[in-house]
Amino acid sequence: MTAAPEWAGADQIAVREAVEAYVHGGPGDGATVRANVAAWESLPLRPRVLRDVTHVDTAIELLGLRAPVPVLAAPWAGHQLVHPDGEVATARGLAAAGLPMVQSAGSSVPVADVAAHSGPFWQQVYVPDDRTLIDGFLDRAVAAGATALVLTVDHPAVGNTLPFRAGLARLAPSDGRPRVAVNFPDVAPGTLLGTATDLGPRDIERLAARTGLPVVVKGVLRADDARTAVDAGAAAVVVSNHGGRQLAGSVTTAHALPEVVDAVAGRVPVLVDGGIRRGEDVVRALALGARAVLAGRPMARALAEGGADGVERWARETIEDVRRALVLCGAPTLDSVGRDLVGAPVTAYPGER
């Protein structure tokens, strides 16, 4: 269970439960969230031995970001809902460890204030029906140092994430802190931005033309959609089911990843999120063809429990965990990772029920 934020007030237990619901909520009974985790765990690792692992090189450069391991902090909205310093604390913790950040369009701190602590970052964006409503936001993200945009495409409606909504409702109304519209001061109060229901390939082109930045398309689970995104100019795609928050029963990201990788055929990098919890999961994702992974919920828990220091501890532990897993698999460099490192999925080992 996550610790209650210090600013929570008298009802600590209620707030702690609300934080847990906000961070871990999913549609229905949360089965898709759990399935994401279980799908990675079902892939047995096939470590190599008698390999020289003296020198380890796991660093990555991708669309203007550098990281000691192929892990990025995933975007999620409203960090102040779980810690009073919000995205500033997240940025500080990540920067201290060297992990890059994907800023959420729904951050509770303005993009420039977060960027002052994060260094180069990717900026997540949703496209509303009226495309011009986000132009000012895009300009500010570019000015703040964004090196790429991450267009989330799997949100034409809000999933039936009742635990998430319940947690949000209990955390947000009376805390007196900024809402997640701080990045849109030029939009009339009360305007619902939402996501355009006619979102299409032309939006990838428009975002790239407007900002001059590469556009990463996040929320892809199918080969045909991956090819459509790349044909429209996507600089990378992220295999994602929104952390299991949107469509209950959707395919897990571990299962969707090989299909998307094969469809893209090396034209652009493929990333993946959803259910990544430990270094072994990162190795599994790399072995299936991902260039890097995004992690969200573990970082959210670290922020809730320890602010910037908690995020830094999580980031440093993650870096070491990934490196250790790669060495134990006999793959001390990213180029040495291949599909031979994972076997066919298993649902149970002999003797288990």
Side-chain angles (χ1 to χ4, degrees):
M1 182 69 72
T2 52
E6 295 178 357
W7 48 266
D11 193 356
Q12 298 292 298
I13 294 177
V15 172
R16 187 180 298 115
E17 292 175 348
V19 168
E20 195 77 2
Y22 171 67
V23 172
H24 296 289
D29 65 354
T32 310
V33 177
R34 297 191 298 275
N36 270 346
V37 176
W40 293 113
E41 293 177 343
S42 75
L43 297 172
L45 291 167
R46 303 177 64 245
R48 308 178 189 126
V49 296
L50 301 176
R51 311 298 170 99
D52 186 352
V53 293
T54 306
H55 302 290
V56 178
D57 182 6
T58 57
I60 186 173
E61 294 188 18
L62 189 61
L63 301 180
L65 299 183
R66 295 182 179 181
V69 293
V71 177
L72 286 69
W76 55 281
H79 293 202
Q80 277 190 344
L81 293 173
V82 302
H83 192 278
D85 295 334
E87 286 79 3
V88 168
T90 305
R92 286 174 173 166
L94 292 171
L99 284 188
M101 180 178 187
V102 182
Q103 281 206 46
S104 170
S107 67
S108 47
V109 179
V111 57
D113 294 348
V114 183
H117 302 278
S118 71
F121 63 97
W122 289 356
Q123 178 61 60
Q124 184 229 20
V125 62
Y126 293 97
V127 171
D129 289 323
D130 182 352
R131 273 65 169 173
T132 64
L133 291 177
I134 62 170
D135 283 349
F137 167 61
L138 295 173
D139 294 343
R140 287 186 289 275
V142 172
T147 65
L149 298 179
V150 178
L151 171 62
T152 296
V153 297
D154 60 357
H155 204 268
V158 178
N160 187 26
T161 53
L162 296 180
F164 165 81
R165 292 180 181 179
L168 186 63
R170 294 168 72 183
L171 284 167
S174 60
D175 58 31
R177 298 184 179 278
R179 296 299 187 264
V180 293
V182 296
N183 279 313
F184 304 93
D186 40 4
V187 175
T191 301
L192 295 177
L193 291 173
T195 301
T197 54
D198 64 343
L199 189 71
R202 67 187 183 282
D203 289 298
I204 300 172
E205 301 167 4
R206 181 185 184 275
L207 289 172
R210 169 79 194 189
T211 63
L213 296 179
V215 177
V216 178
V217 175
K218 180 176 182 292
V220 175
L221 294 169
R222 296 165 51 106
D224 52 355
D225 290 337
R227 285 190 290 264
T228 296
V230 175
D231 289 344
V237 296
V238 181
V239 175
S240 174
N241 60 14
H242 217 97
R245 283 198 192 274
Q246 283 290 87
L247 177 64
S250 70
V251 63
T252 68
T253 53
H255 291 143
L257 177 59
E259 175 183 331
V260 173
V261 168
D262 290 346
V264 169
R267 295 168 62 191
V268 301
V270 176
L271 294 82
V272 64
D273 70 8
I276 303 291
R277 296 292 184 266
R278 52 188 60 87
E280 290 84 356
D281 297 334
V282 177
V283 175
R284 292 172 170 120
L286 298 177
L288 293 181
R291 181 77 179 278
V293 308
L294 289 80
R297 283 186 173 92
M299 181 188 65
R301 180 183 289 275
L303 176 65
E305 292 178 345
D309 290 342
V311 172
E312 181 181 353
R313 282 194 298 272
W314 167 79
R316 292 191 184 281
E317 289 169 1
T318 296
I319 292 166
E320 291 307 311
D321 200 28
V322 171
R323 287 174 169 164
R324 179 169 51 248
L326 285 166
V327 167
L328 288 171
C329 284
T333 67
L334 301 183
D335 289 341
S336 65
V337 178
R339 287 199 181 186
D340 65 294
L341 288 181
V342 292
V346 296
T347 55
Y349 289 101
E352 289 185 342
R353 294 184 179 179

PDB file of all heavy atoms in Angstrom, residues 43-64:
ATOM      1  N   LEU A  43       6.699 -15.383 -19.961  1.00  0.00           N
ATOM      2  CA  LEU A  43       7.751 -15.604 -20.953  1.00  0.00           C
ATOM      3  C   LEU A  43       9.024 -16.059 -20.242  1.00  0.00           C
ATOM      4  O   LEU A  43       9.705 -15.263 -19.598  1.00  0.00           O
ATOM      5  CB  LEU A  43       8.028 -14.323 -21.740  1.00  0.00           C
ATOM      6  CG  LEU A  43       6.868 -13.790 -22.585  1.00  0.00           C
ATOM      7  CD1 LEU A  43       7.220 -12.415 -23.152  1.00  0.00           C
ATOM      8  CD2 LEU A  43       6.545 -14.762 -23.719  1.00  0.00           C
ATOM      9  N   PRO A  44       9.391 -17.331 -20.336  1.00  0.00           N
ATOM     10  CA  PRO A  44      10.598 -17.801 -19.646  1.00  0.00           C
ATOM     11  C   PRO A  44      11.861 -17.286 -20.327  1.00  0.00           C
ATOM     12  O   PRO A  44      11.963 -17.288 -21.560  1.00  0.00           O
ATOM     13  CB  PRO A  44      10.499 -19.328 -19.760  1.00  0.00           C
ATOM     14  CG  PRO A  44       9.681 -19.569 -20.985  1.00  0.00           C
ATOM     15  CD  PRO A  44       8.711 -18.424 -21.071  1.00  0.00           C
ATOM     16  N   LEU A  45      12.791 -16.847 -19.533  1.00  0.00           N
ATOM     17  CA  LEU A  45      14.070 -16.404 -20.061  1.00  0.00           C
ATOM     18  C   LEU A  45      14.972 -17.611 -20.327  1.00  0.00           C
ATOM     19  O   LEU A  45      14.966 -18.591 -19.577  1.00  0.00           O
ATOM     20  CB  LEU A  45      14.746 -15.446 -19.080  1.00  0.00           C
ATOM     21  CG  LEU A  45      14.061 -14.077 -18.941  1.00  0.00           C
ATOM     22  CD1 LEU A  45      14.597 -13.333 -17.729  1.00  0.00           C
ATOM     23  CD2 LEU A  45      14.262 -13.252 -20.208  1.00  0.00           C
ATOM     24  N   ARG A  46      15.758 -17.519 -21.401  1.00  0.00           N
ATOM     25  CA  ARG A  46      16.670 -18.585 -21.806  1.00  0.00           C
ATOM     26  C   ARG A  46      18.100 -18.032 -21.774  1.00  0.00           C
ATOM     27  O   ARG A  46      18.651 -17.640 -22.799  1.00  0.00           O
ATOM     28  CB  ARG A  46      16.308 -19.100 -23.197  1.00  0.00           C
ATOM     29  CG  ARG A  46      14.875 -19.608 -23.312  1.00  0.00           C
ATOM     30  CD  ARG A  46      14.531 -20.041 -24.743  1.00  0.00           C
ATOM     31  NE  ARG A  46      15.355 -21.179 -25.175  1.00  0.00           N
ATOM     32  CZ  ARG A  46      16.241 -21.129 -26.164  1.00  0.00           C
ATOM     33  NH1 ARG A  46      16.453 -19.986 -26.827  1.00  0.00           N
ATOM     34  NH2 ARG A  46      16.923 -22.194 -26.510  1.00  0.00           N
ATOM     35  N   PRO A  47      18.695 -17.967 -20.585  1.00  0.00           N
ATOM     36  CA  PRO A  47      20.005 -17.307 -20.459  1.00  0.00           C
ATOM     37  C   PRO A  47      21.108 -18.068 -21.174  1.00  0.00           C
ATOM     38  O   PRO A  47      21.120 -19.299 -21.231  1.00  0.00           O
ATOM     39  CB  PRO A  47      20.243 -17.285 -18.945  1.00  0.00           C
ATOM     40  CG  PRO A  47      19.442 -18.436 -18.435  1.00  0.00           C
ATOM     41  CD  PRO A  47      18.211 -18.498 -19.309  1.00  0.00           C
ATOM     42  N   ARG A  48      22.042 -17.308 -21.734  1.00  0.00           N
ATOM     43  CA  ARG A  48      23.253 -17.869 -22.324  1.00  0.00           C
ATOM     44  C   ARG A  48      24.326 -17.958 -21.236  1.00  0.00           C
ATOM     45  O   ARG A  48      24.355 -17.126 -20.321  1.00  0.00           O
ATOM     46  CB  ARG A  48      23.767 -16.973 -23.445  1.00  0.00           C
ATOM     47  CG  ARG A  48      22.740 -16.606 -24.505  1.00  0.00           C
ATOM     48  CD  ARG A  48      23.359 -15.662 -25.531  1.00  0.00           C
ATOM     49  NE  ARG A  48      22.363 -15.110 -26.441  1.00  0.00           N
ATOM     50  CZ  ARG A  48      22.186 -13.816 -26.664  1.00  0.00           C
ATOM     51  NH1 ARG A  48      22.955 -12.934 -26.039  1.00  0.00           N
ATOM     52  NH2 ARG A  48      21.264 -13.401 -27.507  1.00  0.00           N
ATOM     53  N   VAL A  49      25.210 -18.919 -21.366  1.00  0.00           N
ATOM     54  CA  VAL A  49      26.339 -19.030 -20.439  1.00  0.00           C
ATOM     55  C   VAL A  49      27.637 -19.119 -21.244  1.00  0.00           C
ATOM     56  O   VAL A  49      27.619 -19.177 -22.477  1.00  0.00           O
ATOM     57  CB  VAL A  49      26.196 -20.263 -19.512  1.00  0.00           C
ATOM     58  CG1 VAL A  49      24.972 -20.112 -18.619  1.00  0.00           C
ATOM     59  CG2 VAL A  49      26.107 -21.547 -20.322  1.00  0.00           C
ATOM     60  N   LEU A  50      28.740 -19.099 -20.537  1.00  0.00           N
ATOM     61  CA  LEU A  50      30.065 -19.125 -21.164  1.00  0.00           C
ATOM     62  C   LEU A  50      30.228 -17.951 -22.131  1.00  0.00           C
ATOM     63  O   LEU A  50      30.813 -18.076 -23.200  1.00  0.00           O
ATOM     64  CB  LEU A  50      30.318 -20.458 -21.874  1.00  0.00           C
ATOM     65  CG  LEU A  50      30.240 -21.708 -20.991  1.00  0.00           C
ATOM     66  CD1 LEU A  50      30.417 -22.973 -21.824  1.00  0.00           C
ATOM     67  CD2 LEU A  50      31.281 -21.631 -19.890  1.00  0.00           C
ATOM     68  N   ARG A  51      29.691 -16.803 -21.720  1.00  0.00           N
ATOM     69  CA  ARG A  51      29.808 -15.576 -22.512  1.00  0.00           C
ATOM     70  C   ARG A  51      30.548 -14.528 -21.682  1.00  0.00           C
ATOM     71  O   ARG A  51      30.383 -14.455 -20.460  1.00  0.00           O
ATOM     72  CB  ARG A  51      28.429 -15.032 -22.903  1.00  0.00           C
ATOM     73  CG  ARG A  51      27.491 -16.068 -23.517  1.00  0.00           C
ATOM     74  CD  ARG A  51      28.028 -16.644 -24.820  1.00  0.00           C
ATOM     75  NE  ARG A  51      27.251 -17.789 -25.277  1.00  0.00           N
ATOM     76  CZ  ARG A  51      26.316 -17.740 -26.208  1.00  0.00           C
ATOM     77  NH1 ARG A  51      26.020 -16.578 -26.783  1.00  0.00           N
ATOM     78  NH2 ARG A  51      25.668 -18.834 -26.559  1.00  0.00           N
ATOM     79  N   ASP A  52      31.341 -13.722 -22.337  1.00  0.00           N
ATOM     80  CA  ASP A  52      32.112 -12.686 -21.648  1.00  0.00           C
ATOM     81  C   ASP A  52      31.181 -11.530 -21.281  1.00  0.00           C
ATOM     82  O   ASP A  52      30.631 -10.858 -22.157  1.00  0.00           O
ATOM     83  CB  ASP A  52      33.236 -12.187 -22.553  1.00  0.00           C
ATOM     84  CG  ASP A  52      34.167 -11.209 -21.843  1.00  0.00           C
ATOM     85  OD1 ASP A  52      33.852 -10.800 -20.698  1.00  0.00           O
ATOM     86  OD2 ASP A  52      35.196 -10.833 -22.436  1.00  0.00           O
ATOM     87  N   VAL A  53      30.985 -11.321 -19.989  1.00  0.00           N
ATOM     88  CA  VAL A  53      30.125 -10.234 -19.522  1.00  0.00           C
ATOM     89  C   VAL A  53      30.934  -9.243 -18.680  1.00  0.00           C
ATOM     90  O   VAL A  53      30.397  -8.565 -17.804  1.00  0.00           O
ATOM     91  CB  VAL A  53      28.930 -10.777 -18.721  1.00  0.00           C
ATOM     92  CG1 VAL A  53      27.993 -11.566 -19.625  1.00  0.00           C
ATOM     93  CG2 VAL A  53      29.393 -11.629 -17.543  1.00  0.00           C
ATOM     94  N   THR A  54      32.223  -9.171 -18.982  1.00  0.00           N
ATOM     95  CA  THR A  54      33.104  -8.279 -18.224  1.00  0.00           C
ATOM     96  C   THR A  54      32.725  -6.818 -18.422  1.00  0.00           C
ATOM     97  O   THR A  54      32.691  -6.034 -17.463  1.00  0.00           O
ATOM     98  CB  THR A  54      34.566  -8.494 -18.650  1.00  0.00           C
ATOM     99  OG1 THR A  54      34.902  -9.868 -18.522  1.00  0.00           O
ATOM    100  CG2 THR A  54      35.500  -7.640 -17.800  1.00  0.00           C
ATOM    101  N   HIS A  55      32.444  -6.447 -19.648  1.00  0.00           N
ATOM    102  CA  HIS A  55      32.142  -5.055 -19.961  1.00  0.00           C
ATOM    103  C   HIS A  55      30.655  -4.934 -20.320  1.00  0.00           C
ATOM    104  O   HIS A  55      30.168  -5.604 -21.229  1.00  0.00           O
ATOM    105  CB  HIS A  55      33.009  -4.568 -21.117  1.00  0.00           C
ATOM    106  CG  HIS A  55      34.479  -4.683 -20.846  1.00  0.00           C
ATOM    107  ND1 HIS A  55      35.130  -3.883 -19.925  1.00  0.00           N
ATOM    108  CD2 HIS A  55      35.422  -5.527 -21.354  1.00  0.00           C
ATOM    109  CE1 HIS A  55      36.408  -4.218 -19.891  1.00  0.00           C
ATOM    110  NE2 HIS A  55      36.612  -5.210 -20.746  1.00  0.00           N
ATOM    111  N   VAL A  56      29.972  -4.075 -19.582  1.00  0.00           N
ATOM    112  CA  VAL A  56      28.527  -3.909 -19.757  1.00  0.00           C
ATOM    113  C   VAL A  56      28.253  -2.532 -20.347  1.00  0.00           C
ATOM    114  O   VAL A  56      28.719  -1.510 -19.824  1.00  0.00           O
ATOM    115  CB  VAL A  56      27.792  -4.064 -18.409  1.00  0.00           C
ATOM    116  CG1 VAL A  56      26.291  -3.854 -18.589  1.00  0.00           C
ATOM    117  CG2 VAL A  56      28.076  -5.429 -17.802  1.00  0.00           C
ATOM    118  N   ASP A  57      27.512  -2.493 -21.438  1.00  0.00           N
ATOM    119  CA  ASP A  57      27.135  -1.223 -22.069  1.00  0.00           C
ATOM    120  C   ASP A  57      25.650  -1.290 -22.414  1.00  0.00           C
ATOM    121  O   ASP A  57      25.249  -1.949 -23.371  1.00  0.00           O
ATOM    122  CB  ASP A  57      27.952  -0.976 -23.332  1.00  0.00           C
ATOM    123  CG  ASP A  57      27.621   0.364 -23.985  1.00  0.00           C
ATOM    124  OD1 ASP A  57      26.841   1.137 -23.396  1.00  0.00           O
ATOM    125  OD2 ASP A  57      28.142   0.638 -25.082  1.00  0.00           O
ATOM    126  N   THR A  58      24.851  -0.614 -21.611  1.00  0.00           N
ATOM    127  CA  THR A  58      23.396  -0.661 -21.785  1.00  0.00           C
ATOM    128  C   THR A  58      22.804   0.716 -22.088  1.00  0.00           C
ATOM    129  O   THR A  58      21.593   0.896 -22.025  1.00  0.00           O
ATOM    130  CB  THR A  58      22.726  -1.221 -20.519  1.00  0.00           C
ATOM    131  OG1 THR A  58      23.090  -0.407 -19.389  1.00  0.00           O
ATOM    132  CG2 THR A  58      23.175  -2.656 -20.273  1.00  0.00           C
ATOM    133  N   ALA A  59      23.640   1.689 -22.402  1.00  0.00           N
ATOM    134  CA  ALA A  59      23.161   3.053 -22.652  1.00  0.00           C
ATOM    135  C   ALA A  59      22.415   3.127 -23.977  1.00  0.00           C
ATOM    136  O   ALA A  59      22.658   2.351 -24.902  1.00  0.00           O
ATOM    137  CB  ALA A  59      24.329   4.032 -22.646  1.00  0.00           C
ATOM    138  N   ILE A  60      21.517   4.097 -24.063  1.00  0.00           N
ATOM    139  CA  ILE A  60      20.702   4.267 -25.265  1.00  0.00           C
ATOM    140  C   ILE A  60      20.527   5.750 -25.560  1.00  0.00           C
ATOM    141  O   ILE A  60      20.475   6.582 -24.647  1.00  0.00           O
ATOM    142  CB  ILE A  60      19.319   3.591 -25.089  1.00  0.00           C
ATOM    143  CG1 ILE A  60      18.515   3.642 -26.393  1.00  0.00           C
ATOM    144  CG2 ILE A  60      18.550   4.205 -23.941  1.00  0.00           C
ATOM    145  CD1 ILE A  60      17.222   2.855 -26.332  1.00  0.00           C
ATOM    146  N   GLU A  61      20.470   6.083 -26.858  1.00  0.00           N
ATOM    147  CA  GLU A  61      20.112   7.416 -27.315  1.00  0.00           C
ATOM    148  C   GLU A  61      18.923   7.265 -28.260  1.00  0.00           C
ATOM    149  O   GLU A  61      18.961   6.441 -29.176  1.00  0.00           O
ATOM    150  CB  GLU A  61      21.279   8.091 -28.034  1.00  0.00           C
ATOM    151  CG  GLU A  61      22.462   8.399 -27.134  1.00  0.00           C
ATOM    152  CD  GLU A  61      23.520   9.233 -27.839  1.00  0.00           C
ATOM    153  OE1 GLU A  61      23.194   9.848 -28.882  1.00  0.00           O
ATOM    154  OE2 GLU A  61      24.668   9.266 -27.361  1.00  0.00           O
ATOM    155  N   LEU A  62      17.893   8.053 -28.030  1.00  0.00           N
ATOM    156  CA  LEU A  62      16.678   7.893 -28.808  1.00  0.00           C
ATOM    157  C   LEU A  62      15.934   9.221 -28.912  1.00  0.00           C
ATOM    158  O   LEU A  62      15.479   9.766 -27.898  1.00  0.00           O
ATOM    159  CB  LEU A  62      15.779   6.843 -28.155  1.00  0.00           C
ATOM    160  CG  LEU A  62      14.558   6.373 -28.926  1.00  0.00           C
ATOM    161  CD1 LEU A  62      14.961   5.721 -30.245  1.00  0.00           C
ATOM    162  CD2 LEU A  62      13.756   5.388 -28.071  1.00  0.00           C
ATOM    163  N   LEU A  63      15.867   9.765 -30.113  1.00  0.00           N
ATOM    164  CA  LEU A  63      15.099  10.996 -30.382  1.00  0.00           C
ATOM    165  C   LEU A  63      15.403  12.099 -29.364  1.00  0.00           C
ATOM    166  O   LEU A  63      14.513  12.682 -28.767  1.00  0.00           O
ATOM    167  CB  LEU A  63      13.600  10.688 -30.407  1.00  0.00           C
ATOM    168  CG  LEU A  63      13.134   9.658 -31.449  1.00  0.00           C
ATOM    169  CD1 LEU A  63      11.634   9.459 -31.356  1.00  0.00           C
ATOM    170  CD2 LEU A  63      13.542  10.070 -32.854  1.00  0.00           C
ATOM    171  N   GLY A  64      16.679  12.341 -29.174  1.00  0.00           N
ATOM    172  CA  GLY A  64      17.100  13.448 -28.324  1.00  0.00           C
ATOM    173  C   GLY A  64      17.252  13.132 -26.853  1.00  0.00           C
ATOM    174  O   GLY A  64      17.625  14.013 -26.072  1.00  0.00           O
TER     175      GLY A  64
END
